[in-house]
Amino acid sequence: MTHWYDGPLAAFDTETTGVDVEEDRIVSAAVVVQDSPGGRPRITRWLVNPGVPVPPGAIEVHGLTDDHLQRNGRWPAPVMEEIARSLAEQCAAGRPLVVMNAPFDLTLLDRELKRHRASSLSRYLDRSPLCVLDPRVLDKHLDRYRKGRRTLTDLCAQYEVVLDGAHDAAADALAALEVVRAVGRRFNARLERLSPAELHTLQAVWHAAQARGLQAWFARSGTPETVDPAWPLRPGLAAAA
């Protein structure tokens, strides 16, 4: 029997103008589809002219300058439509969607759809709901006592996955996909009886618990930061009265 981590998977990743899902913008994105371990990935890429300046700190991360995006990027509205439809196609095809730190990328896409299409991600997924595998949540739950950071680079080192070209959306998406396969193999005894849909439900619970733990740590250290427990998509902000 083929386990889910040896079967077809898709992955999604973005590069952005910053880390605020409510205000920042997508400048590049990729969807990667792989039918089996070691199989040739099918990659769809998007480059976006966000219509706002890209801060120097973000350019240092991904290298996408204002000039490059203005010359080569497309306007956001049609791109967000294409990305949302692509994710819906993966869900309709029954492929689990790998998204590293899913609440960031998926929420940012949802807000971009609201901004440019007067729509939402849920509207594109009304017939085939999301089934997400988040390597960060999985790893943190399954190997919870391991010390150290759990960025994509750290997870690639931990699971011996090659990350060629970090902070390129396609490279990061493929690496996250390979990490999920490696997590599945390493923790096979604990995961083999769980379907991706069951894992999706469990990850929401696991992430909420992880968020509570991080929030408590912030409180003890006097850090005034709020950790959102929602996964894989953060709810929209309430409109001002």
Side-chain angles (χ1 to χ4, degrees):
M1 181 181 70
T2 301
H3 299 301
W4 60 260
Y5 47 82
D6 289 325
L9 294 175
F12 171 60
D13 190 74
T14 66
E15 297 299 328
T16 69
T17 61
V19 296
D20 184 339
V21 296
E22 302 297 340
E23 299 296 336
D24 281 306
R25 312 296 176 90
I26 293 172
V27 296
S28 71
V31 170
V32 175
V33 179
Q34 188 186 52
D35 293 326
S36 60
R40 184 179 181 88
R42 302 188 297 279
I43 301 173
T44 305
R45 295 179 173 89
W46 294 270
L47 193 65
V48 186
N49 178 356
V52 298
V54 182
I59 295 174
E60 288 180 10
V61 172
H62 50 59
L64 298 172
T65 65
D66 290 323
D67 181 67
H68 179 75
L69 294 172
Q70 289 166 10
R71 290 175 180 270
N72 301 287
R74 297 167 56 203
W75 290 115
V79 172
M80 301 312 150
E81 170 89 6
E82 290 172 17
I83 295 173
R85 289 191 180 279
S86 179
L87 298 189
E89 288 172 9
Q90 306 313 317
C91 295
R95 297 187 191 96
L97 184 66
V98 175
V99 191
M100 174 72 184
N101 192 18
F104 177 78
D105 292 83
L106 295 179
T107 304
L108 189 54
L109 174 60
D110 179 77
R111 304 310 191 255
E112 287 278 57
L113 288 166
K114 180 179 180 181
R115 182 178 294 119
H116 297 291
R117 305 293 304 184
S119 187
S120 67
L121 184 56
S122 63
R123 291 184 183 178
Y124 291 85
L125 302 169
D126 57 348
R127 295 184 180 180
S128 301
L130 279 169
C131 179
V132 175
L133 299 171
D134 187 332
R136 185 173 182 273
V137 175
L138 291 170
D139 172 74
K140 197 169 184 179
H141 177 79
L142 295 165
D143 198 359
R144 68 181 67 184
Y145 299 113
R146 189 180 79 248
K147 295 185 182 298
R149 288 156 49 87
R150 299 184 194 242
T151 67
L152 180 59
T153 300
D154 298 318
L155 295 186
C156 286
Q158 177 68 23
Y159 291 96
E160 300 181 347
V161 169
V162 175
L163 175 53
D164 187 10
H167 300 298
D168 169 82
D172 286 357
L174 180 58
L177 187 153
E178 296 289 1
V179 166
V180 163
R181 292 198 189 280
V183 169
R185 289 190 292 269
R186 182 172 298 184
F187 296 99
N188 171 63
R190 297 167 64 182
L191 295 177
E192 65 175 346
R193 296 185 179 182
L194 295 170
S195 69
E198 290 169 327
L199 273 174
H200 178 97
T201 301
L202 286 170
Q203 285 170 102
V205 177
W206 296 343
H207 179 270
Q210 292 163 10
R212 288 193 297 271
L214 183 56
Q215 188 72 73
W217 185 86
F218 282 149
R220 290 193 300 270
S221 63
T223 303
E225 187 168 340
T226 301
V227 185
D228 196 321
W231 183 97
L233 183 67
R234 296 174 189 169
L237 295 177

